[in-house]
Amino acid sequence: MALPIPNTVPNTSVSFSDIVYRSPMWVCLAFAIGLSLWYIFLPDIIPLHNGFAWEGEYYRTIAINLDYNLFVARVNSYSIQRILPFVILHEFFELFGITFQDRNLILWMQLFNMLLGVIIVYVWHRIATILRLSLTAEWVGYFCLLAHFAFAKYDLYIPFTTDRLSATMGLLSLYFYLQNRTLALWLNALLSLAVWPTALAYNILLLMVPRHEPIRATSGNRSISALWALGIAGLFAGLFVGVLYIQHVPVPPRLTADVHPLLPVGIVLTAVFLFYTQFTLAQRLLPGWTGLWPLAKHLLRPRREWLYVISLLVAYVVLTRVLGDASRPYLPFKTFLINTTFAVLQRPLQFLVSHGVYYGLSVLIIALFWPRVLAAVQQLGLGLGIMFMVVMVQAINSETRQLSNVLPLLALIAAVVANTLPIRRTALVWTAAILLLISKMWLPFNWFDPTYGQPADRFPSFSFVHTGIMLEWPFQVYFMNQGPWISNKYLVLQGLGLLLTAVVIYKLFTNRQSVSLSGKQQS
């Protein structure tokens, strides 16, 4: 009797989980589009100023009557640096004859932000392909770009802003830089002048330091690294002492009151943070004393990029001093320094909690895996390394949304770090669930509005912080996500929550055996 021939054809069936894991771009496209459509059809939009919130109310008037505001009333030199989307909106409405009604303006910005979400997803996929990141690292990059309060809640709750456009332009700058497409980088930088105030400095840095510029760090750079770090730490410590103890400037009334006895502690801890981060980064990036001048001469040599930089500076002056009204500064330099001082020092190291609440995973990875971050920065090159050094200085300001144009760099570094970690698929699932939980995307803020639906509803900003009402629930449902306006209670509670989240993320990202959804271990 003949024996049956065993089936030797391998099982080539692919499970649904495999398809999902191998399709991060398509999954995240669905997430970005689906989330935007959810808020369009089931809106949870800030009631203040009929959905336009604070700065949006000002840009609303510009979008409606662009010519008058640009050439007659004039836009102040700060606000004009965020005017681009509202110029596009105005021209779009004029071209297609759309009426400038509030609901149309809000809907247009919602759709515009949805388009930006699609661009972010696609461009990140292209960057992951260029750098040959693993699927796991690509997923982590998406989590850093999409699964946090800024993308999953803020941009939807307050759609009439430039925050998501700023992040998109920052991501495009990274993409063009990594591709060595200098002309495209310059064009993107030119448009970014009218999107985000700090974009000019970062784009000039990318233009002046070529993508493949070698890092000339040597073992003899310890003294120059220490001097640099000491200078940065001392500069800010001196600013803080001058504002608080020489000029005796009180906390601005629109910010949460400082914990006055802890101000010296905040100054010391912030200086330590700056010294440590700048010193360790400088050791990885800077040459020794003998190599410093040759590097400077090499980077500043005559070349085409100088024309790009000069033209950007000219365009900036035209935008802010000719087209914009410099006689009415929205944020005078002295006011900026005072606001920065208290945004850093209201509570010691509050910026760490604020950034974790606002941007989630990228902040956690950078904090948890700093030695790997240093290696990732070296791998990405001198230009992005110096840019990251600047970002770490800017990061002491707890108003996290000011970092929106450099979020893509944080996501990129986090993804490169993830590329070196033994992260399992199930760890990604648990991480995504945790991040979406702390992003508050599931929490309708307007449920807590005590005057919802009433005329002239100003939730969540009735009298701001002058009377202390914004430090209480339910107004903290929004303000507990904005560093300088988080109450002490919610700062501590969210800090503890982030600490717990950090422990879980660390275990998920470092365990070679991860727990599956069924409770079984996977090796």
Side-chain angles (χ1 to χ4, degrees):
M1 180 177 177
L3 296 175
I5 300 175
N7 183 5
T8 59
V9 178
N11 184 7
T12 58
S13 62
V14 180
S15 67
F16 177 74
S17 62
D18 287 333
I19 295 174
V20 171
Y21 175 71
R22 296 172 186 176
S23 309
M25 183 184 73
W26 295 108
V27 173
C28 291
L29 276 175
F31 171 77
I33 294 173
L35 193 61
S36 292
L37 291 176
W38 178 275
Y39 269 75
I40 289 173
F41 292 105
L42 296 170
D44 183 44
I45 297 175
I46 190 169
L48 179 65
H49 294 146
N50 200 27
F52 293 92
W54 296 274
E55 61 197 44
E57 175 65 8
Y58 177 67
Y59 288 116
R60 170 184 172 274
T61 63
I62 294 174
I64 293 174
N65 198 343
L66 181 65
D67 292 342
Y68 172 79
N69 282 284
L70 276 183
F71 304 113
V72 180
R74 308 283 301 281
V75 180
N76 68 72
S77 58
Y78 178 82
S79 298
I80 203 167
Q81 296 177 68
R82 297 183 177 182
I83 202 173
L84 181 62
F86 313 108
V87 173
I88 298 173
L89 183 156
H90 177 87
E91 297 301 331
F92 186 91
F93 275 42
E94 289 286 353
L95 179 63
F96 292 100
I98 303 173
T99 57
F100 287 92
Q101 296 179 345
D102 285 356
R103 65 175 180 270
N104 292 338
L105 297 173
I106 294 289
L107 177 60
W108 190 92
M109 285 299 294
Q110 288 176 311
L111 294 172
F112 182 67
N113 283 333
M114 181 171 69
L115 174 62
L116 295 176
V118 170
I119 294 173
I120 288 172
V121 170
Y122 175 73
V123 174
W124 172 248
H125 174 71
R126 295 296 307 140
I127 289 176
T129 302
I130 292 168
L131 296 180
R132 298 180 180 179
L133 297 178
S134 66
L135 276 175
T136 297
E138 184 175 350
W139 273 109
V140 168
Y142 277 128
F143 292 167
C144 293
L145 290 168
L146 309 180
H148 49 67
F149 175 81
F151 186 93
K153 188 63 185 183
Y154 180 85
D155 294 343
L156 304 164
Y157 189 63
I158 307 180
F160 216 77
T161 63
T162 58
D163 292 50
R164 185 173 291 188
L165 179 58
S166 171
T168 307
M169 302 296 274
L171 186 64
L172 286 170
S173 285
L174 282 186
Y175 173 67
F176 296 137
Y177 181 75
L178 293 170
Q179 285 278 71
N180 290 310
R181 295 170 60 180
T182 308
L183 178 59
L185 173 60
W186 173 74
L187 290 172
N188 190 65
L190 197 62
L191 291 174
S192 297
L193 293 175
V195 175
W196 208 252
T198 59
L200 173 65
Y202 287 116
N203 281 312
I204 285 179
L205 194 157
L206 294 180
L207 285 167
M208 292 304 296
V209 185
R211 165 71 177 97
H212 295 294
E213 183 67 34
I215 294 176
R216 297 174 172 85
T218 65
S219 58
N221 70 354
R222 185 177 179 85
S223 61
I224 193 173
S225 299
L227 184 63
W228 166 262
L230 189 63
I232 295 296
L235 177 66
F236 280 91
L239 167 66
F240 301 151
V241 170
V243 170
L244 296 172
Y245 299 110
I246 297 177
Q247 297 296 324
H248 300 286
V249 178
V251 62
R254 288 179 176 267
L255 300 180
T256 302
D258 59 77
V259 182
H260 207 72
L262 295 181
L263 287 177
V265 177
I267 294 174
V268 172
L269 291 179
T270 303
V272 170
F273 171 86
L274 286 171
F275 180 85
Y276 176 74
T277 55
Q278 294 299 303
F279 177 69
T280 51
L281 284 167
Q283 281 196 297
R284 297 293 185 115
L285 298 171
L286 297 185
W289 289 105
T290 57
L292 189 60
W293 178 240
L295 175 61
K297 287 198 300 182
H298 175 69
L299 293 178
L300 298 177
R301 70 192 184 278
R303 51 198 169 103
R304 180 183 57 189
E305 283 74 13
W306 273 109
L307 297 177
Y308 291 140
V309 171
I310 292 171
S311 63
L312 281 178
L313 293 173
V314 170
Y316 173 78
V317 171
V318 171
L319 178 68
T320 60
R321 297 296 185 266
V322 178
L323 191 59
D325 185 0
S327 67
R328 296 186 296 114
Y330 174 83
L331 188 63
F333 187 64
K334 180 180 179 181
T335 303
F336 169 76
L337 293 179
I338 293 172
N339 288 349
T340 298
T341 296
F342 286 100
V344 176
L345 298 177
Q346 290 159 297
R347 287 72 53 103
L349 298 182
Q350 66 176 0
F351 55 89
L352 295 178
V353 177
S354 174
H355 299 337
V357 167
Y358 207 84
Y359 281 144
L361 186 60
S362 58
V363 177
L364 294 175
I365 288 178
I366 290 171
L368 291 171
F369 301 103
W370 185 251
R372 292 178 186 263
V373 168
L374 297 175
V377 167
Q378 271 194 308
Q379 179 181 336
L380 291 171
L382 183 63
L384 294 181
I386 295 175
M387 182 177 173
F388 184 60
M389 289 179 73
V390 179
V391 170
M392 292 307 290
V393 175
Q394 186 185 354
I396 64 174
N397 187 330
S398 64
E399 190 176 1
T400 309
R401 64 180 290 240
Q402 300 298 333
L403 295 171
S404 65
N405 62 316
V406 295
L407 169 65
L409 176 63
L410 304 182
L412 174 61
I413 291 172
V416 174
V417 169
N419 214 36
T420 68
L421 294 170
I423 305 173
R424 309 292 298 178
R425 293 191 195 183
T426 49
L428 291 176
V429 175
W430 287 113
T431 300
I434 293 169
L435 294 175
L436 294 178
L437 176 66
I438 66 175
S439 75
K440 305 180 182 71
M441 59 168 285
W442 49 272
L443 182 63
F445 286 177
N446 290 343
W447 277 7
F448 306 98
D449 179 4
T451 58
Y452 187 73
Q454 297 180 16
D457 185 358
R458 294 180 56 83
F459 184 83
S461 179
F462 284 85
S463 59
F464 222 66
V465 185
H466 292 91
T467 63
I469 191 173
M470 311 320 300
L471 301 178
E472 304 297 333
W473 191 266
F475 311 106
Q476 277 288 301
V477 73
Y478 170 79
F479 284 106
M480 68 178 175
N481 307 287
Q482 305 289 346
W485 298 276
I486 304 176
S487 70
N488 294 337
K489 173 183 176 181
Y490 288 104
L491 184 73
V492 171
L493 289 176
Q494 291 185 110
L496 293 174
L498 281 174
L499 187 61
L500 176 61
T501 301
V503 171
V504 174
I505 294 294
Y506 183 82
K507 288 185 176 296
L508 287 173
F509 279 22
T510 56
N511 283 351
R512 293 187 179 275
Q513 287 188 334
S514 57
V515 180
S516 69
L517 296 178
S518 63
K520 299 179 180 179
Q521 283 193 335
Q522 295 183 344
S523 59

